[in-house]
Amino acid sequence: SFMQQAYEQRNQYFDFIRGIGCYLVFFAHVCILHLDFVMNSVFLHTLFNAIVYAIPIFIIISGKLMLRRAYSYREISKKIMHFIALIAFWNFLYAIVVYWQQGILTILQMTLLQMIKDVWQGSYYYQFWFLYLLMFLYSITPLLYRLYTTHKKRYLQVVMWLGVLCILVDSINLGCEIQGYACIMRIPQILRMWIWLFYFMLGGCLSDVCQRMERCMIVTKSKVLLSVFITLFLLLIASERIDTCMPEMFYGSILVICSLCLCFTYRQQAALQLHRSLHIATYFIGIYILQLPLLTMTSPLFQFILQWPFSTIWYFLFSNFVFVVLVVVCKVLYKNKYLRETLR
């Protein structure tokens, strides 16, 4: 039916945006390994700053998908247990590789220690903090869904005030950073809950927000791209003023919030058709997990490329090549039903 087709096309639009998010997260993790080199290139630094969109994109779409119907606590518990098993499995593999000579007890202890360190990004799989965040957000989904369906006006007010809080904290933090005091960076990402709750709840009422924006203005592709360009340009200027500037400082920026709202409001989203090869969002968790082992293996090659003439171009091209390899590996592994369970 027409409605079903429109729904599938909107899902393709979400997959397209999540695919961009997957790439930005990967590229940011590449850049973190060679931060001094990246900061000296305007092009690479700008692309690195674009990670400011990736995590909010994932949270918004998670909110959109999780808050569209009533999930039982049994369903939520199943999702959470799957994430815990996933985190335990990959930390166990890491512990085996690093501590295999010290006995099984040490391996189990190190697995547990690594899982705890994941929360504040102090372990090898430092990106697993995001999975812990999703577990928390999923656990409160039934409460948020009940609030949205029974007290919609109050729900929208909470979203509005959380947005105001994000902008206020971001402004205060920017002032502190200019004065040389690292404020928001002292708080582990997982504890910046005002930001994550805002984006998750924004995802839940995304249709309402988009409809209101469409009444105020016609959202075109050029407006979306212009808002993103202005945001990244100002982030680049800010990073030259602030020594400790990292993109994660600006998740709650009014510029980021506005350009994300424009992005999701873009009227032509229902007309998007993706080629099968571009459906990389399907492998999001696999890409998220396997990128660090792959980057560890390719690290000597990156170091070699940094010595070449026109190293910025070669660095960018090789990063993209590694990303394509990562996606292909995930596609192959996902074809096996047992391996697929360890990567999704």
Side-chain angles (χ1 to χ4, degrees):
S1 69
F2 174 78
M3 291 296 292
Q4 179 66 24
Q5 185 181 11
Y7 174 76
E8 288 175 357
Q9 288 174 336
R10 277 194 294 274
N11 273 2
Q12 283 204 11
Y13 184 70
F14 290 148
D15 280 349
F16 173 69
I17 296 177
R18 282 202 303 171
I20 293 174
C22 286
Y23 173 76
L24 292 177
V25 168
F26 168 81
F27 192 78
H29 288 158
V30 174
C31 290
I32 287 170
L33 299 175
H34 319 99
L35 212 49
D36 290 338
F37 174 77
V38 169
M39 294 299 184
N40 289 321
S41 164
V42 172
F43 172 67
L44 295 178
H45 195 176
T46 302
L47 201 52
F48 174 58
N49 283 340
I51 184 66
V52 77
Y53 289 108
I55 304 301
I57 282 172
F58 293 131
I59 300 295
I60 289 172
I61 294 178
S62 293
K64 172 71 176 174
L65 298 177
M66 291 299 295
L67 294 170
R68 67 184 175 183
R69 72 173 179 87
Y71 280 89
S72 67
Y73 281 105
R74 184 176 180 180
E75 289 176 295
I76 298 295
S77 299
K78 190 175 179 182
K79 286 178 178 289
I80 290 173
M81 290 307 297
H82 176 74
F83 277 141
I84 292 173
L86 205 62
I87 292 168
F89 174 77
W90 286 99
N91 277 303
F92 180 67
L93 285 186
Y94 173 76
I96 288 175
V97 171
V98 178
Y99 303 100
W100 66 276
Q101 291 182 321
Q102 298 179 32
I104 188 65
L105 185 61
T106 303
I107 289 173
L108 292 175
Q109 288 174 340
M110 289 310 302
T111 300
L112 184 59
L113 183 61
Q114 288 291 313
M115 289 178 69
I116 295 170
K117 286 183 175 181
D118 288 342
V119 179
W120 64 84
Q121 300 173 268
S123 62
Y124 177 74
Y125 286 109
Y126 60 86
Q127 79 273 36
F128 280 179
W129 73 270
F130 180 71
L131 300 183
Y132 283 102
L133 173 62
L134 286 182
M135 282 189 268
F136 170 75
L137 293 174
Y138 285 1
S139 69
I140 62 172
T141 293
L143 297 173
L144 294 178
Y145 180 79
R146 192 175 304 129
L147 178 63
Y148 181 67
T149 52
T150 58
H151 301 91
K152 187 174 179 179
K153 187 176 179 180
R154 189 172 298 172
Y155 180 97
L156 294 173
Q157 286 174 342
V158 171
V159 173
M160 183 190 71
W161 285 113
L162 281 172
V164 170
L165 180 61
C166 286
I167 295 165
L168 183 63
V169 172
D170 177 73
S171 302
I172 294 170
N173 175 64
L174 189 58
C176 291
E177 292 284 353
I178 291 172
Q179 297 300 318
Y181 178 75
C183 184
I184 201 80
M185 295 295 288
R186 294 174 182 267
I187 305 173
Q189 287 198 63
I190 198 169
L191 295 182
R192 301 172 199 174
M193 204 52 69
W194 65 94
I195 299 175
W196 312 131
L197 273 175
F198 166 70
Y199 282 123
F200 192 71
M201 293 180 71
L202 178 65
C205 63
L206 196 58
S207 299
D208 302 277
V209 173
C210 290
Q211 285 173 10
R212 293 188 182 196
M213 287 193 69
E214 285 177 340
R215 290 193 204 112
C216 300
M217 62 187 297
I218 297 173
V219 180
T220 61
K221 187 191 296 183
S222 58
K223 288 179 181 176
V224 174
L225 294 176
L226 182 63
S227 69
V228 172
F229 174 79
I230 290 172
T231 302
L232 294 179
F233 177 71
L234 292 176
L235 283 186
L236 190 65
I237 293 175
S239 62
E240 292 180 357
R241 289 284 308 273
I242 303 169
D243 293 335
T244 57
C245 187
M246 292 290 281
E248 68 182 66
M249 286 167 42
F250 299 99
Y251 286 142
S253 165
I254 187 171
L255 294 170
V256 174
I257 292 170
C258 290
S259 51
L260 281 170
C261 288
L262 285 173
C263 180
F264 282 103
T265 309
Y266 179 41
R267 295 180 73 95
Q268 294 184 22
Q269 58 179 278
L272 184 70
Q273 292 287 345
L274 287 183
H275 189 273
R276 285 183 62 185
S277 63
L278 296 177
H279 287 184
I280 61 174
T282 309
Y283 315 108
F284 162 60
I285 297 295
I287 292 170
Y288 201 65
I289 292 171
L290 293 179
Q291 59 185 266
L292 280 189
L294 186 59
L295 289 176
T296 301
M297 289 186 285
T298 56
S299 182
L301 291 173
F302 274 104
Q303 293 296 337
F304 181 58
I305 286 172
L306 294 183
Q307 312 304 318
W308 292 7
F310 308 106
S311 53
T312 297
I313 297 171
W314 289 113
Y315 183 88
F316 176 69
L317 292 175
F318 186 65
S319 299
N320 283 278
F321 172 74
V322 174
F323 182 72
V324 171
V325 170
L326 179 59
V327 173
V328 171
V329 168
C330 288
K331 282 190 174 186
V332 172
L333 295 178
Y334 270 55
K335 289 180 180 179
N336 183 292
K337 66 178 181 179
Y338 300 110
L339 291 173
R340 187 164 60 241
E341 287 303 311
T342 67
L343 290 167
R344 71 187 183 105

